[in-house]
Structure formats: structure tokens, C-alpha cells
Amino acid sequence: MALASEIVFDFHDHAVVATSGDGRRASFALATSTVAEFHANFARLISDLGGTPDFPAQPNEVPDPVPFDEDHRDRRDDRDAVRRLHQALMAADAVFKSFGTSFLGKSSPVHLFWGSFDLAVTRLRDGRRRYLPAAFQPYQTMWRRKPCRRAYARAPP
């Protein structure tokens, strides 16, 4: 039976840290290296936790992809750029969370699609009709209109 694992890119300590379901940990430092070196370290990290590193051998969603294990160009570790990116992502996360505070259904955490660099949140309704809370009573006349009610409730199947 395969155990679940969690892999975290720790941008504070500049490391990749993995934990397996049985508590084993493995990590390696993020530093200036080639993509081939990073790929080898990442595959080793998965193997050290008892997993089988099985993922595509080359990047997707980029023009003229070079297989990971053949990319020997040095990639600079720019910690200041990583810090600024992390701050921007945290600010965007706060915006997503503030706009989702009144949502009454199920909501995913903010997630990043690396290939397209899109931030997203998924909000799913549970099927029950929801009406505006008492704080919105001044808007009650608007709320009574059928189209407005439909906008805040899932349409029946």
C-alpha cells in the first residue's frame, strides 16, 4: 500500500522538504544549480521516501522544451526575487480570502497553476438555496427579485 506524501517548496529556508505518511522526512537545499541537478535531487527525494518518481521527462506548456535530465545550463538562485514573488502571492491570497468570506459553500485553498502561472480558487455550492444574511436587509427589495435570488443560489437540477 502506497503512503501519501507532502512536498513543500520552503521559500523561507530555501529548501524542498518532503514528509511521507509514516513520518519520514527528506529534503534538499534550493541553490544555484542546473535543471538536471534539481531533477536528480527531486527524484532522489521521492525515492528516499519510498516512492517511485514517475513524472514527465520534460516541461510542458513551453516552446522547445529541453528534457530535464539534459538541461545543464546554470540557473541562478535569486533569493530576493523569490522573496518578492512570495510576498506578491501572499497578498493575492489575502485578496482571494477576503472576497470569499461571505461564501457559504465549500471552497478550495488558493492554488497556483505553474504552467500558465494562474492563481485560482474554486467555490462549490452544496445545492441548498442560500439567502442573504440580515446584514443585507437594506437591499431586501432588490433581493426579492427572482434573478437576484438565482445569482446567489444554485439552480435546481
Side-chain angles (χ1 to χ4, degrees):
M1 180 173 158
L3 292 172
S5 295
E6 177 182 53
I7 299 173
V8 175
F9 283 74
D10 182 342
F11 295 126
H12 291 285
D13 294 329
H14 296 275
V16 177
V17 181
T19 307
S20 69
D22 62 3
R24 288 182 291 165
R25 290 177 53 92
S27 66
F28 65 91
L30 288 172
T32 298
S33 68
T34 67
V35 171
E37 291 168 339
F38 179 89
H39 181 262
N41 287 336
F42 194 76
R44 189 176 315 107
L45 178 111
I46 294 169
S47 296
D48 288 349
L49 296 180
T52 304
D54 181 23
F55 43 84
Q58 66 184 30
N60 55 30
E61 301 183 20
V62 296
D64 305 318
V66 176
F68 296 127
D69 59 353
E70 296 175 17
D71 190 345
H72 295 285
R73 295 173 288 176
D74 277 337
R75 306 297 179 158
R76 191 169 66 95
D77 180 33
D78 188 343
R79 291 182 179 218
D80 187 52
V82 169
R83 181 188 56 76
R84 290 190 321 267
L85 173 63
H86 184 254
Q87 288 174 337
L89 292 173
M90 295 304 292
D93 178 63
V95 170
F96 276 122
K97 286 178 180 171
S98 69
F99 278 100
T101 54
S102 62
F103 182 73
L104 300 173
K106 190 174 171 182
S107 184
S108 74
V110 176
H111 45 280
L112 173 69
F113 292 95
W114 283 101
S116 57
F117 220 70
D118 289 335
L119 282 175
V121 167
T122 305
R123 294 191 175 106
L124 305 167
R125 298 191 185 282
D126 62 5
R128 293 180 285 174
R129 294 205 177 261
R130 307 280 186 175
Y131 295 99
L132 287 174
F136 290 95
Q137 292 305 315
Y139 303 104
Q140 193 64 30
T141 55
M142 178 190 77
W143 178 244
R144 287 188 180 121
R145 291 186 218 137
K146 205 172 192 177
C148 191
R149 285 197 308 270
R150 274 195 211 127
Y152 282 89
R154 181 176 165 203

